[in-house]
Amino acid sequence: MRSKTLEKSSHSGEVKRGQVILVAYLIATLDLTFLFMQMGVMPYLAKSLGLDSVGFGYLQTTFGVLQLMGGPIFGRFADQFGTRAALLLSCASGSAFFLLMSISTSIPLLFLSRLPAVFMHGLPGAQKVITDMTTPSQRADALGKLGLCFGIGIVIGSALGGVLSTKFGIFVPTYVGLVGNLINTTIAMVWIPLQAKPKSDHRVTEHSTSQSGSVFSIREILRLMKFPGVMEVFIVKVFAGLPIGLFLIMFSIISMDFFGLEAVESGYLMSYFGVLQMVLQGLVVGKLTNHCTESTLLRLSVFVFAGVGLGMALMKTVWHYCIIAVPLVFAFSTLGTITDSILTKAVPSSDTGTMLGICASVQPLTRTVGPTIGGLLYKQFGVSSFGYLQLIVNIGLFVYLLKSKIPLREGKS
């Protein structure tokens, strides 16, 4: 009788965990949809206010710097105050972001609207929920399915922003984003438990940082880099995709100058990327984690990145790029999912939010330095320089991974 009761309780717990994870996917999807919606509208809003291309670059850099600074702080906030509080902070910041955008009738107000971006981290918040609600063996697969959310966000967000701004006015997408974030706030309040991490997982070790020091303590955040294997894996995470990241930042210019695409065609290409992201990260990467070790997949992603670099160095047309995009998205998705999974397992469970916040800072870092470095590479050496840099960097990283003995905690429950 007791065993039946325990079995029923365990089944109920699994169902509840599954429901919470599904809600996290929904929150991430809505958050990314609104984010990509504003990204598509922002250039036109900035132009309507008289901001030139240089000023728009400063605006984008401001957004990147704020997200870069806020990622680790948001992660520590999640560790100290709980995942629901962190998601509510992210959704509330998103609401403030779109509210300020909706009243941006001058350039100073437009720059001011970027300020809430420091705590807009819906995707890391969803990752934190998934990390807390899964066992190590389930984690990579569950994190990989966020690729579906990302792909849906790109496709629907980009299209929705264009349709709404064209038919109803440039500020209408900001109103939709405001209402949408308020809805997301309600969803997080109702469906995300106060502490997503099961009680049995609340382990605090002598190395744990989340329970000591201020949320803003840089020293406590950097201490996580001292855990075995963390610095090595993080270096691979940053540098493996950096050259491609620089290329993607410059893509709007490259698509016009090198590929000769019109704005509509560039939009179609973005949608193509979104579909690839959905299929490869949401479906393929998750399946691979059930058959391959994380160390194998880490080396595979770096090896594929090297091949992508060679392909990019030799490409001449947009059709070449469409073919290269398949292994490119696969490598990006695999690298991101596997490194996030490895790094969250390498630190105490009470510090996973901080680690996810550090991981979330990689893309803002690229967006911050990207326009300067990417512009210099493109101007001085052309599109092929991104490919050759990608090839050289990843060959070096692949050799490093083969020779090094990085201690990885493989996903076994």
Side-chain angles (χ1 to χ4, degrees):
M1 184 74 177
R2 184 180 177 185
S3 63
K4 287 184 177 180
T5 303
L6 289 173
E7 185 178 338
K8 185 176 180 181
S9 175
S10 175
H11 177 70
S12 175
E14 288 298 319
V15 171
K16 186 177 180 181
R17 285 192 185 200
Q19 289 175 343
V20 173
I21 290 172
L22 287 175
V23 171
Y25 288 143
L26 174 61
I27 290 173
T29 301
L30 292 174
D31 181 82
L32 289 163
T33 298
F34 303 137
L35 183 63
F36 281 106
M37 183 176 67
Q38 71 86 25
M39 285 174 65
V41 171
M42 183 53 63
Y44 301 97
L45 178 58
K47 187 177 180 181
S48 70
L49 296 176
L51 198 64
D52 59 18
S53 58
V54 175
F56 183 70
Y58 291 146
L59 186 70
Q60 295 294 81
T61 300
T62 300
F63 185 85
V65 169
L66 288 168
Q67 290 237 299
L68 175 63
M69 293 168 55
I73 296 171
F74 178 84
R76 274 189 54 82
F77 182 90
D79 284 332
Q80 291 197 354
F81 298 100
T83 309
R84 183 168 75 179
L87 279 174
L88 290 175
L89 175 62
S90 176
C91 294
S93 299
S95 300
F97 177 84
F98 281 102
L99 177 62
L100 289 171
M101 270 188 69
S102 69
I103 60 172
S104 292
T105 54
S106 65
I107 293 175
L109 276 175
L110 189 61
F111 272 88
L112 183 64
S113 72
R114 307 292 92 182
L115 194 57
V118 71
F119 293 126
M120 283 172 55
H121 296 281
L123 185 59
Q127 289 176 318
K128 171 66 173 167
V129 174
I130 292 166
T131 299
D132 288 349
M133 301 299 289
T134 55
T135 63
S137 62
Q138 300 169 330
R139 188 168 302 168
D141 186 17
L143 288 174
K145 287 184 172 64
L146 280 170
L148 284 169
C149 307
F150 200 90
I152 293 171
I154 291 177
V155 175
I156 296 181
S158 301
L160 190 61
V163 171
L164 290 176
S165 60
T166 301
K167 289 192 173 183
F168 304 105
I170 197 71
F171 285 105
V172 171
T174 66
Y175 305 144
V176 173
L178 172 59
V179 173
N181 273 274
L182 291 174
I183 292 173
N184 243 359
T185 304
T186 304
I187 293 173
M189 176 68 77
V190 173
W191 290 100
I192 300 297
L194 190 61
Q195 279 289 353
K197 193 191 303 293
K199 290 182 179 180
S200 60
D201 289 342
H202 282 284
R203 304 184 304 273
V204 181
T205 72
E206 59 180 339
H207 299 291
S208 176
T209 66
S210 69
Q211 304 302 317
S212 62
S214 165
V215 169
F216 301 95
S217 174
I218 302 300
R219 182 178 64 85
E220 296 294 345
I221 291 170
L222 294 178
R223 275 188 62 192
L224 295 184
M225 290 297 171
K226 297 179 182 179
F227 282 86
V230 169
M231 181 59 78
E232 293 90 337
V233 174
F234 189 73
I235 287 173
V236 173
K237 182 179 183 68
V238 171
F239 287 101
L242 181 60
I244 291 294
L246 299 178
F247 171 84
L248 293 175
I249 285 172
M250 298 298 298
F251 186 73
S252 58
I253 295 175
I254 292 171
S255 64
M256 290 187 293
D257 295 348
F258 186 76
F259 293 132
L261 300 181
E262 299 292 336
V264 175
E265 294 168 328
S266 294
Y268 292 150
L269 200 55
M270 282 291 291
S271 297
Y272 171 65
F273 264 86
V275 172
L276 284 179
Q277 183 90 23
M278 291 168 61
V279 173
L280 293 174
Q281 184 172 343
L283 302 176
V284 176
V285 176
K287 298 294 183 184
L288 284 176
T289 60
N290 296 323
H291 299 91
C292 305
T293 64
E294 290 179 341
S295 56
T296 299
L297 290 175
L298 180 61
R299 293 185 181 103
L300 175 63
S301 64
V302 172
F303 181 76
V304 173
F305 258 141
V308 168
L310 179 60
M312 288 186 61
L314 301 176
M315 73 177 178
K316 300 296 181 184
T317 69
V318 69
W319 296 110
H320 293 163
Y321 183 58
C322 287
I323 295 171
I324 295 167
V326 178
L328 166 60
V329 173
F330 169 79
F332 242 137
S333 301
T334 305
L335 180 75
T337 300
I338 296 304
T339 52
D340 285 352
S341 179
I342 291 171
L343 290 170
T344 54
K345 293 174 189 175
V347 300
S349 61
S350 53
D351 288 313
T352 53
T354 306
M355 180 51 71
L356 286 169
I358 294 172
C359 292
S361 297
V362 173
Q363 287 191 355
L365 174 63
T366 305
R367 287 199 299 267
T368 301
V369 302
T372 301
I373 300 176
L376 182 63
L377 280 174
Y378 182 57
K379 184 177 181 180
Q380 297 294 328
F381 306 106
V383 171
S384 62
S385 63
F386 296 100
Y388 286 121
L389 182 61
Q390 180 75 12
L391 175 63
I392 294 168
V393 168
N394 280 274
I395 286 177
L397 290 174
F398 185 70
V399 172
Y400 170 71
L401 287 173
L402 288 178
K403 290 185 175 182
S404 65
K405 299 293 182 181
I406 299 176
L408 299 180
R409 180 183 163 195
E410 298 296 350
K412 293 180 182 179
S413 54

